[in-house]
Amino acid sequence: MKILAIESSCDETAAAVVEDGTNVLSNVINTQIELHKLYGGVVPEIASRKHIENISAVVDKALDDAGVALEEIDAVAVTYAPGLIGALLVGVSYAKGLSFAASKPLIPVHHIRGHICANYIETPSLEPPFVCLVASGGHSNIVHVKSRTDYEVIASTNDDAAGEAFDKVSRVLGLGYPGGPAIQKAAESGNSEAVRFPRVNMGEGGLDFSFSGVKTAVLNYIHNLEQRGEEINKNDIAASFQQAVIDVLSDHLITAAEERSVKTLALAGGVASNLPLRELIQKKALSRGFELYYPRPLLCTDNAAMIGCAAYYEYLAGRRADLSLNAYANMDIENPIV
Ligand code: KG4
Ligand code: ZN
């Protein structure tokens, strides 16, 4: 079964053709990063306008690259939530038009479920159950993946998402956008033990995240140095901040898996492409006899192949949308309403 998938929830206009869940025939990503760099972060209104300009060419290229005509597609899938509402609406409207014009079923896909499913593309033999850390610019969750369509959220963030913290600290350090790769690079030349930034745990044994504290601690640290006229070592701050974040992400993931007696771990989302994070979790996983899976960086950040993969399993489970499908900025992972 060939699915044409569309993703436009943030600043990537993406389309892909995916066969039977994991066979990616094409994966086109038109990123707006250069444009948003000027403003130090994603400007929603600009993102929506660029999606409108790009979507037609991106979808055509996905079909071309796959060597299939629209008539040969079996269904159209689209990210309908969560994300930037104006950005999502572009993909949803386009997908509805295509599905109507070509008389193909329409499959609504939850963006986070898509991120998780990127793991099946990377490792088709991966079987649930597993516990997945989803860390991106908008989300930080630990999810118990019980089947390909049955998810239980174990932990969420109380404030900032992990990627958001990377982006904000990077901006303050003048390292640019997106912050994750910039911080990772600066950290390579820094000492991760130079400054002990807080590792926040929510409540007794709580697995929820809070990253606004570590972000504020970095800001205060920099302001203090500035006030005293002391030198700011950006690499040391980047390395110490990154260590604080990945310590928490890895600890919570391991604890969640232990509590559920699940021995398979997975990573997903833009922050999952962070190399020190992967290495740290791999080390902790190995010492406990856990298996760890993660997608290549291109499948960690936003793409439509992951949406086409998730859509296949949702389709098999009977999920369909009609032309009344809307976009939603927020949506429950466990029980999405469409
Ligand atoms: O999954 P994604 O492309 O979009 C959302 O759904 O949010 O994630 C983007 C986020 C950004 O905050 C970016 O700074 C972060 O992922 N990111 C990283 C790395 N690469 C991207 N964070 C840490 N280390 C990286 N190497
Ligand atoms: Zn994403």
Side-chain angles (χ1 to χ4, degrees):
M1 175 178 184
K2 293 191 186 78
I3 295 179
L4 169 64
I6 296 175
E7 153 67 42
S8 70
S9 67
C10 192
D11 60 346
E12 266 89 30
T13 318
V17 178
V18 183
E19 189 174 31
D20 298 336
T22 54
N23 185 17
V24 179
L25 303 181
S26 66
N27 190 18
V28 179
I29 304 168
N30 181 307
T31 179
Q32 306 171 6
I33 284 180
E34 286 305 317
L35 196 62
H36 297 286
K37 255 186 189 165
L38 296 170
Y39 308 96
V42 178
V43 183
E45 178 64 23
I46 294 177
S48 314
R49 285 166 189 258
K50 277 288 151 191
H51 285 313
I52 293 174
E53 284 173 27
N54 294 336
I55 194 155
S56 198
V58 166
V59 169
D60 288 351
K61 185 161 167 39
L63 290 169
D64 273 3
D65 286 1
V68 295
L70 184 57
E71 301 75 58
E72 296 170 84
I73 292 293
D74 299 296
V76 177
V78 65
T79 306
Y80 75 106
L84 301 171
I85 191 72
L88 285 165
L89 271 172
V90 177
V92 167
S93 307
Y94 200 86
K96 286 203 283 191
L98 273 184
S99 117
F100 179 69
S103 302
K104 307 291 179 187
L106 181 62
I107 311 167
V109 178
H110 191 291
H111 184 75
I112 302 299
R113 290 184 174 208
H115 271 301
I116 293 170
C117 287
N119 280 287
Y120 303 124
I121 300 177
E122 190 65 58
T123 313
S125 59
L126 173 63
E127 287 290 336
F130 57 90
V131 174
C132 188
L133 170 69
V134 190
S136 71
H139 305 272
S140 299
N141 294 110
I142 296 174
V143 181
H144 186 181
V145 182
K146 297 177 174 174
S147 82
R148 285 173 167 79
T149 51
D150 185 6
Y151 301 83
E152 185 197 342
V153 176
I154 302 174
S156 306
T157 178
N158 283 289
D159 38 61
D160 292 356
E164 202 178 344
F166 270 96
D167 292 337
K168 286 181 182 165
V169 167
S170 177
R171 183 154 58 183
V172 173
L173 288 174
L175 296 174
Y177 176 84
I183 296 261
Q184 184 184 319
K185 179 134 203 328
E188 282 166 16
S189 320
N191 173 7
S192 61
E193 290 171 11
V195 194
R196 176 85 192 170
F197 290 122
R199 277 84 169 145
V200 176
N201 289 311
M202 302 305 294
E204 184 115 341
L207 291 175
D208 278 347
F209 299 111
S210 167
F211 293 111
S212 78
V214 62
K215 179 193 70 189
T216 309
V218 174
L219 299 190
N220 288 341
Y221 180 78
I222 294 171
H223 287 156
N224 278 335
L225 289 181
E226 279 172 350
Q227 276 171 354
R228 295 204 300 265
E230 289 176 25
E231 194 200 331
I232 294 170
N233 186 324
K234 291 185 182 185
N235 295 341
D236 280 356
I237 296 174
S240 301
F241 160 76
Q242 178 176 263
Q243 194 61 46
V245 173
I246 70 176
D247 276 355
V248 171
L249 290 174
S250 56
D251 277 351
H252 288 207
L253 174 64
I254 297 285
T255 306
E258 282 173 341
E259 282 179 2
R260 305 281 154 144
S261 304
V262 174
K263 288 189 167 284
T264 307
L265 309 176
L267 309 180
V271 180
S273 48
N274 185 276
L275 208 58
L277 173 69
R278 292 173 173 217
E279 287 170 355
L280 181 60
I281 296 179
Q282 185 67 268
K283 204 172 100 196
K284 292 183 180 180
L286 272 178
S287 68
R288 289 165 177 83
F290 289 179
E291 275 187 285
L292 173 66
Y293 296 89
Y294 45 75
R296 75 201 72 163
L298 187 78
L299 294 172
C300 284
T301 45
D302 287 348
N303 66 87
M306 68 185 196
I307 303 302
C309 177
Y312 177 66
Y313 303 118
E314 300 286 343
Y315 181 88
L316 294 182
R319 209 133 170 259
R320 306 282 186 279
D322 60 24
L323 295 181
S324 67
L325 178 66
N326 206 346
Y328 302 86
N330 299 301
M331 183 58 62
D332 195 38
I333 300 175
E334 297 176 3
N335 298 300
I337 60 167
V338 179

